[in-house]
Amino acid sequence: MKVTVSRKAHFNAAHRLYRKDWTFEQNDAVFGKCNNPNFHGHNYELIVSVTGEINPETGYVIDIKDLSDLILEEVEKPFDHKNLNLDVPEFENLNPTAENIVVVIWNKIRKKIEPELDLEVVLFETPRNFVTYKGE
Ligand code: NI
């Protein structure tokens, strides 16, 4: 019997979508307004979901307080009120698209939870635009 436990979280961050090895015109053609050299911000929302068997002793799949602390340390503290391109080492040479951000977040949390638990992260860049990564 598997149950999914989810925790919502939030961070505000700035980014610019571009490739350093492309000209401004190439970047403009692909990334449009998101290539603004002065950056722009989003209110990112995320849902982190952990699926596994209920521990018969505790009744928990994962202690949600532990999950919440993990998201705070791995995502909120390093990303909130940051410029993703300039302040977050993972994006020094990785375009901070929603797709790449969700994979970075998934990898950070994956390392900190028990291997038998399944992990899914949904990242909303706007209320209508969101991406999902399950490690596949
Ligand atoms: Ni953007």
Side-chain angles (χ1 to χ4, degrees):
M1 182 171 57
K2 291 199 169 185
V3 174
T4 300
V5 175
S6 298
R7 170 83 186 174
K8 287 185 181 174
H10 170 85
F11 62 92
N12 289 29
H15 73 169
R16 174 189 176 190
L17 300 186
Y18 75 115
R19 291 190 59 95
K20 292 173 184 170
D21 57 336
W22 286 0
T23 64
F24 186 86
E25 289 68 29
Q26 282 176 299
N27 278 302
D28 191 54
V30 174
F31 300 114
K33 284 194 297 187
C34 293
N35 176 41
N36 174 7
N38 293 328
F39 306 95
H40 65 276
H42 293 282
N43 295 315
Y44 290 96
E45 300 283 347
L46 68 154
I47 303 171
V48 176
S49 296
V50 173
T51 301
E53 299 286 342
I54 300 175
N55 178 321
E57 242 176 359
T58 61
Y60 288 162
V61 171
I62 186 171
D63 185 335
I64 203 151
K65 176 68 166 63
D66 293 344
L67 183 59
S68 146
D69 290 346
L70 191 51
I71 296 166
L72 181 67
E73 292 301 322
E74 297 298 324
V75 183
E76 291 172 288
K77 282 188 185 171
F79 292 4
D80 190 38
H81 287 75
K82 297 291 166 61
N83 180 311
L84 297 177
N85 301 79
L86 302 180
D87 299 327
V88 179
E90 284 87 349
F91 300 110
E92 195 181 335
N93 292 304
L94 181 66
N95 206 9
T97 59
E99 291 89 329
N100 282 330
I101 298 168
V102 80
V103 172
V104 165
I105 291 172
W106 188 94
N107 283 325
K108 294 182 86 173
I109 296 174
R110 180 71 270 178
K111 291 190 189 113
K112 300 290 177 85
I113 62 171
E114 297 298 325
E116 65 271 18
L117 297 170
D118 290 327
L119 175 65
E120 176 183 293
V121 180
V122 180
L123 178 72
F124 287 78
E125 196 168 67
T126 73
R128 290 167 192 250
N129 297 343
F130 58 99
V131 296
T132 304
Y133 186 57
K134 303 174 193 175
E136 290 161 5

